[in-house]
Amino acid sequence: MATGRGRFLLSLRQGLERTQPCRHEGNSRGNKKKKPAGGGRSRRGRCENTKPAPPPPPVVYCPAPSWSLPASFSSENYFKRLPPEIILKIFSYLDAASLFSVGFVSQQFHELANDNVIWYELYSFEMGRRKRRPRLRGMPDSVSTDAQDVPASVWKKLLFSEMGCHKDAVWKKQLRNVNLNTGMPEQTEQVLRSLRVVWEITLTFKRGKQRVYEQSRSFSTDSSVTVCWSAGVWPRIHHVYSMELHGVLGSPSSKTATPPWRSLISKTVVSRIVRWKYMGTDSLVKLVQFDGGITVGIWRGTWIIAFIMATLHFHRLVERSVLGSLFCPYRPEEFTPLHSDVPLGFSVRGYTVLLLLHNSVRRIMQCRYSPVPCTRDEHHGEFVQLRPVHGGTSQKHPPISGRISFPWKVGELQGDIKNCCVMTVSVLDEALRPVWCISSSAAVFPSHSRVVSETYDGEQLALRYDDPDGKLKMTLVWMQDLQLYFLIGLNIRIRVRKV
């Protein structure tokens, strides 16, 4: 390093000597400078008495020090010199997770970590905690249950299957009892509370950033739950690319070593929706609806999100909130319908229709219609039609107590949007199995087609819903003298593959 610095200073000095002009000494201040002979101009910048620069010193290169391992060090694997019994004794003090992880270290550890004796002891200890007798499932009784008489890794697989399915078996057993009035499991709300299931909204912005919001409050009925998110700083709706609704197993605010499990329920790409479905407005908030039963409240004049509300039907809600993954939703097993195909001009009786209109505060109307015929004709094509209520029916048209409204609250601000509510519909087959279940916000608009009714003569309003599996139209009439709504028409169309 010193040699390099000396060479640099030497080259700098030589450069300055070459570029600096030579100064001529004068006799005194008043004396004029002597002109060169011949009357020519003096050539400045050229030194007459310049000595040649000394040669640069030789560069000495120092070889890098060579490091050598001490003679006592050896690359020999000492675990290979240990007897297998000693290693198995060490492995016997590990838990199931550590024993499973140590099997990926080497081939020797993989063979020893799958020893049936160790996994049999872990399996017996786990079953002893649950007061169950260890046994082999799916094997004949003639096979001995000795630890070494079974194939390799059998006790390991049994232990992991028992540990993974124990909690699932508990809540699945609780969901077996079905409420005959709603067709849904009776203990759905209790199971959700015992599993500490909550729901989160994840907003993905157009620039790629994400923001997660935890639920603020929820409201449950016999067949659905309404969840609201209003706390936090919200962006403008135009900056949002997509909205994802996740079910979270365990409270995300709990201090645990592992993150909570998240299951995707629905995903809505906001930027691809050309036209939003307008629901209603008041002096502060405007309501718009997206797919998946998600309703967004927007501050008027700013396009900033005020709150997000989602209505979830109880049909397979626990499975959708728990058994999915972060990116893939839960896919239920498709059951075989009682009537796989309804021929043209044929009618099937025995269906049940459950209708509920409510909001986050109270129930507006609740009706049950059974039996309801299911018909199909050439005008409907791939849909079957159910008409529980129509203009000429002999059943009594149910009134709607109170007005239809959608209350909301954000912090200290609150409001009430008229002619909006939450609609929950369940269509059950003859065996009381769900065929088509929906739960979403709905708005009441003036009806373009009028239902003929001899009893009620007033302003008719319509409430519509449409998704890939079915359609619904509800017709209401407003009686000015009674100040009540009456349901005079309910038309449901479901795809043939669902019934």
Side-chain angles (χ1 to χ4, degrees):
M1 183 175 180
T3 304
R5 185 166 59 248
R7 293 184 59 186
F8 170 76
L9 295 176
L10 181 60
S11 61
L12 178 61
R13 178 182 175 183
Q14 293 176 359
L16 292 176
E17 289 177 354
R18 292 174 183 175
T19 57
Q20 187 175 7
C22 297
R23 297 181 179 179
H24 299 276
E25 298 180 357
N27 297 330
S28 61
R29 290 185 178 180
N31 297 338
K32 295 182 180 181
K33 296 182 180 180
K34 296 182 180 180
K35 295 183 180 181
R41 296 182 179 179
S42 62
R43 299 178 61 184
R44 297 185 179 181
R46 187 173 181 180
C47 298
E48 297 179 357
N49 300 327
T50 57
K51 297 180 180 181
V59 180
V60 180
Y61 295 96
C62 298
S66 59
W67 298 94
S68 59
L69 296 176
S72 60
F73 182 82
S74 176
S75 59
E76 183 182 359
N77 188 359
Y78 289 99
F79 286 100
K80 292 184 178 180
R81 300 173 58 182
L82 289 177
E85 293 79 8
I86 301 298
I87 301 178
L88 288 176
K89 184 63 176 179
I90 298 174
F91 286 175
S92 64
Y93 293 99
L94 301 178
D95 57 350
S98 302
L99 186 60
F100 177 77
S101 301
V102 81
F104 294 93
V105 175
S106 62
Q107 182 67 25
Q108 179 190 12
F109 280 16
H110 177 73
E111 296 176 357
L112 296 177
N114 290 329
D115 186 74
N116 281 330
V117 176
I118 301 179
W119 287 105
Y120 177 77
E121 294 178 357
L122 292 174
Y123 183 83
S124 302
F125 176 75
E126 185 68 22
M127 295 300 103
R129 293 173 52 188
R130 303 175 188 175
K131 298 181 180 181
R132 292 177 54 187
R133 183 178 179 181
R135 58 188 178 88
L136 286 174
R137 293 184 177 180
M139 299 185 66
D141 298 336
S142 60
V143 179
S144 175
T145 58
D146 186 57
Q148 295 293 353
D149 292 344
V150 296
S153 304
V154 170
W155 297 106
K156 174 183 176 181
K157 296 178 182 178
L158 284 175
L159 176 62
F160 284 153
S161 62
E162 290 289 342
M163 294 175 62
C165 301
H166 175 65
K167 293 184 178 180
D168 294 349
V170 172
W171 60 261
K172 286 181 180 180
K173 185 178 180 180
Q174 296 176 354
L175 296 178
R176 292 178 182 176
N177 298 328
V178 179
N179 189 350
L180 299 179
N181 295 326
T182 61
M184 300 295 120
E186 293 181 346
Q187 300 183 4
T188 300
E189 187 175 357
Q190 289 79 359
V191 170
L192 292 173
R193 291 180 179 178
S194 63
L195 295 177
R196 296 184 301 166
V197 175
V198 295
W199 295 273
E200 291 181 349
I201 281 287
T202 303
L203 300 184
T204 303
F205 300 96
K206 294 182 179 180
R207 294 186 177 182
K209 295 183 179 180
Q210 290 185 344
R211 189 177 298 174
V212 180
Y213 297 88
E214 299 181 3
Q215 72 177 48
S216 302
R217 58 187 180 275
S218 61
F219 172 77
S220 300
T221 61
D222 295 337
S223 54
S224 66
V225 57
T226 302
V227 189
C228 183
W229 298 267
S230 59
V233 180
W234 296 90
R236 297 179 183 270
I237 188 64
H238 300 290
H239 297 168
V240 178
Y241 174 76
S242 64
M243 293 186 296
E244 297 180 358
L245 175 60
H246 290 92
V248 183
L249 181 60
S251 177
S253 59
S254 60
K255 298 180 180 179
T256 56
T258 59
W261 180 262
R262 286 174 170 82
S263 174
L264 179 63
I265 298 178
S266 64
K267 180 178 180 179
T268 303
V269 182
V270 181
S271 60
R272 296 182 182 178
I273 301 177
V274 180
R275 187 176 181 181
W276 300 341
K277 187 176 181 181
Y278 172 76
M279 303 295 295
T281 183
D282 61 359
S283 59
L284 296 177
V285 172
K286 179 189 297 184
L287 277 185
V288 293
Q289 185 185 21
F290 297 96
D291 299 336
I294 297 179
T295 305
V296 180
I298 304 173
W299 296 113
R300 295 186 59 180
T302 61
W303 293 102
I304 298 177
I305 298 177
F307 61 88
I308 297 179
M309 186 175 294
T311 307
L312 306 174
H313 201 281
F314 275 174
H315 179 53
R316 299 186 183 275
L317 179 58
V318 180
E319 292 86 345
R320 290 184 294 161
S321 303
V322 173
L323 299 183
S325 65
L326 184 61
F327 303 102
C328 299
Y330 167 73
R331 300 295 182 185
E333 298 180 1
E334 297 292 340
F335 67 91
T336 303
L338 296 178
H339 308 282
S340 58
D341 190 11
V342 180
L344 295 176
F346 187 75
S347 177
V348 179
R349 301 186 64 88
Y351 282 81
T352 303
V353 177
L354 305 175
L355 174 63
L356 175 63
L357 297 181
H358 63 93
N359 52 34
S360 59
V361 178
R362 62 183 181 88
R363 298 182 182 181
I364 301 175
M365 184 187 69
Q366 185 174 6
C367 300
R368 176 187 175 92
Y369 301 98
S370 179
V372 179
C374 173
T375 60
R376 181 189 179 192
D377 53 26
E378 57 184 5
H379 300 288
H380 299 147
E382 57 183 1
F383 290 91
V384 295
Q385 185 179 20
L386 291 86
R387 299 184 64 186
V389 181
H390 54 88
T393 183
S394 59
Q395 296 181 1
K396 182 179 179 180
H397 297 165
I400 298 178
S401 59
R403 62 175 185 172
I404 301 176
S405 62
F406 190 95
W408 60 270
K409 182 178 181 181
V410 178
E412 300 297 332
L413 300 177
Q414 58 184 356
D416 196 3
I417 301 176
K418 298 180 180 180
N419 296 331
C420 292
C421 64
V422 179
M423 175 181 59
T424 302
V425 179
S426 304
V427 179
L428 312 178
D429 59 6
E430 298 176 357
L432 295 180
R433 295 187 302 183
V435 175
W436 187 54
C437 300
I438 62 171
S439 186
S440 174
S441 57
V444 179
F445 295 100
S447 178
H448 300 288
S449 59
R450 187 175 180 85
V451 177
V452 179
S453 178
E454 300 178 357
T455 307
Y456 304 98
D457 186 11
E459 181 185 4
Q460 294 188 5
L461 305 173
L463 189 149
R464 300 176 182 270
Y465 178 83
D466 188 2
D467 67 5
D469 294 331
K471 303 178 182 179
L472 181 142
K473 180 182 178 182
M474 184 185 305
T475 305
L476 306 175
V477 60
W478 171 252
M479 302 300 295
Q480 186 66 28
D481 52 349
L482 300 177
Q483 295 292 314
L484 288 176
Y485 287 100
F486 286 89
L487 177 62
I488 61 173
L490 180 59
N491 189 1
I492 301 175
R493 295 183 182 181
I494 308 175
R495 291 192 180 273
V496 177
R497 68 171 184 266
K498 299 290 292 184
V499 299

